[in-house]
Amino acid sequence: MSADLTPVIAAGTRWLLTAFPPAPGAFNRVLAEVQARQAVTLAATLRYPTPLDAQLLHLLGPGGSTRLDWLTSAEHGPDTDADWRTWVDETVVSWAACLLATPALSVAAHHLVDRGQTGELTRLTHPGDHEHGAAPLLRHPDLLEPVAALHRALLLDLLDLLDHENAALK
């Protein structure tokens, strides 16, 4: 993973956990965070595959969470630490929601990226009862649908393109 994507990954993970909180308990919180971070890491790697892409992201900015907050009816109190929301990338979060809702899609996506950039994503790609129990809202396809639907078509087109490129190289 490029260190340049760290702020976007951290903000996207935080946004997902704020919008779709984990089950009660410290273990559940950590397990849900791992799943969200893996999904956002994979999505960010797909969205910004080169160092130049990451540099452009820093130059232009990711866009922030305003539309996502509106879409999920997120209520924000006086948050003195709201600067992190400016690092939320709507497309990355939408793609992460797609990957969380459909483990088969996350497996396909993971096969198409350099694993050195994403690392092992077992909690995302092969969730078990513990993962689902820790993050029932984060893994619920119906609840994720409004966010996932925003940019699903773009993700599917990208994965199809990458799949065709990989097949042509073989």
Side-chain angles (χ1 to χ4, degrees):
M1 170 191 62
S2 169
D4 293 335
L5 296 178
T6 302
V8 169
I9 291 169
T13 300
R14 187 170 175 180
W15 189 89
L16 282 168
L17 292 172
T18 301
F20 306 100
F27 179 73
N28 290 331
R29 171 86 182 158
V30 170
L31 198 51
E33 183 175 349
V34 168
Q35 294 175 75
R37 184 171 305 281
Q38 287 181 356
V40 173
T41 299
L42 181 54
T45 301
L46 288 165
R47 177 101 166 119
Y48 304 104
T50 69
L52 179 59
D53 293 316
Q55 290 173 0
L56 288 171
L57 167 68
H58 282 274
L59 180 65
L60 301 174
S65 67
T66 304
R67 184 173 174 203
L68 293 168
D69 294 338
W70 172 82
L71 188 64
T72 58
S73 302
E75 300 269 335
H76 305 297
D79 190 356
T80 58
D81 186 27
D83 291 343
W84 67 268
R85 290 182 179 283
T86 63
W87 279 100
V88 173
D89 183 304
E90 178 184 300
T91 302
V92 169
V93 170
S94 176
W95 289 4
C98 292
L99 298 171
L100 285 161
T102 313
L105 185 62
S106 65
V107 170
H110 195 219
H111 285 300
L112 297 173
V113 298
D114 176 8
R115 293 193 182 213
Q117 290 180 301
T118 60
E120 189 55 45
L121 304 179
T122 306
R123 300 278 185 198
L124 172 66
T125 58
H126 298 90
D129 291 340
H130 291 296
E131 286 78 14
H132 286 285
L137 303 179
L138 191 61
R139 286 289 190 171
H140 198 289
D142 293 337
L143 296 176
L144 289 169
E145 182 56 24
V147 175
L150 288 173
H151 300 284
R152 179 184 290 118
L154 183 60
L155 173 62
L156 296 176
D157 288 346
L158 175 64
L159 293 178
D160 188 47
L161 176 67
L162 292 173
D163 190 38
H164 286 352
E165 286 178 0
N166 283 348
L169 293 174
K170 291 181 180 179

